[in-house]
Amino acid sequence: MKVAVIFDNQIRSETTGFYCRRALSRLVDVEQLLPEELNRIPAGLFDLFVLIDDGLDYQLPDELRPRAAWAIDTHMSLERCISRFGNADWVFAAQKLGAQQMQRALGRDVHWLPLGCDPQLHHPVPGALPEYDIGFVGHEIGNRRMEMLKILSEHFPNHWFGQAFHWAMAERTGQFKVAFNCSVSGDLNMRVFEALACGTALVTDASETSGLSEIFELGEHLICYS
């Protein structure tokens, strides 16, 4: 089976499509297509086209089918996700609430497909010892997240907050005694899966609509704050 995975990784190298391509390459013959290449791809060249949400809004030629689409940021812009991904043959959404909302709006099946991590990248580093009491790897955005990080930095001088991608992100996360997560808007983000896969204790915010408690045992696999 020959599968085309469509996403842009020139603006953000850490986009979710990077992990999707790696995972699919272990199952099928896969090739990444960039947005500017789509108008040059003849129909029928691939058995399946998979559109991964990369935050951009380019249009796909309608003949590139059959098509599956994975909406990631329904918690940021639901209407955009409905418009951008709603006409795919199979529609998935990374956020549970977003899948439910898209299904109601489109009047068709939208499947909840949570985010995850890459076990070939995200795993405990043998012999590594934690260097920081607490750490956060990600974008320092949003008033709530920024406020929380400020409070933590004051209470835990031995901290590390910043950005790191792919292998570097996994290595950095393994250096924390505790990994901290603060969602943007009640979403279930990759940081949850990545930190746990790296063998690091995770403290994260809880959302009744995120599906977190359906995947993990709260208080056993991770600790939630409110």
Side-chain angles (χ1 to χ4, degrees), residues 5-211:
V5 182
I6 303 168
F7 65 94
D8 180 87
N9 61 349
Q10 299 175 96
I11 298 176
R12 289 180 55 182
S13 64
E14 82 282 8
T15 184
T16 311
F18 168 83
Y19 298 102
C20 294
R21 180 182 179 181
R22 282 177 55 87
L24 284 170
S25 68
R26 297 193 277 270
L27 301 172
V28 295
D29 181 10
V30 63
E31 180 178 337
Q32 179 190 354
L33 298 181
L34 295 170
E36 57 266 28
E37 299 174 319
L38 299 179
N39 289 322
R40 303 194 298 270
I41 302 300
L45 184 61
F46 293 91
D47 298 301
L48 176 66
F49 294 88
V50 181
L51 175 61
I52 308 296
D53 193 354
D54 54 17
L56 304 179
D57 290 322
Y58 47 85
Q59 296 297 313
L60 273 68
D62 192 61
E63 62 269 17
L64 299 186
R65 294 183 184 273
R67 181 190 308 167
W70 193 18
I72 307 295
D73 292 332
T74 51
H75 59 293
M76 302 289 286
S77 179
L78 178 64
E79 292 302 321
R80 169 190 169 271
C81 289
I82 292 171
S83 173
R84 179 147 168 68
F85 306 111
N87 69 342
D89 300 288
W90 300 278
V91 182
F92 301 86
Q95 308 303 330
K96 182 181 179 182
L97 179 60
Q100 296 169 343
Q101 293 171 325
M102 288 185 70
Q103 179 163 302
R104 287 195 295 268
L106 294 170
R108 51 170 297 194
D109 287 338
V110 175
H111 307 279
W112 178 38
L113 180 63
L115 294 165
C117 63
D118 187 335
Q120 292 189 349
L121 300 180
H122 309 111
H123 54 78
V125 178
L129 296 176
E131 299 179 23
Y132 303 96
D133 292 328
I134 195 165
F136 171 84
V137 179
H139 299 286
E140 297 184 32
I141 58 174
N143 293 336
R144 178 168 172 266
R145 179 181 291 179
M146 293 296 292
E147 181 181 358
M148 298 288 276
L149 292 175
K150 181 177 182 296
I151 293 171
L152 289 172
S153 68
E154 294 170 350
H155 283 272
F156 299 97
N158 183 30
H159 66 271
W160 192 96
F161 301 155
Q163 295 186 23
F165 305 122
H166 309 319
W167 296 269
M169 182 274 295
E171 183 178 11
R172 179 65 73 182
T173 300
Q175 297 174 340
F176 306 150
K177 291 180 181 178
V178 173
F180 173 73
N181 180 51
C182 178
S183 64
V184 173
S185 183
D187 60 309
L188 181 53
N189 55 40
M190 289 187 68
R191 192 176 301 105
V192 169
F193 302 92
E194 293 164 342
L196 295 176
C198 289
T200 303
L202 175 69
V203 174
T204 184
D205 50 345
S207 169
E208 294 181 359
T209 59
S210 71

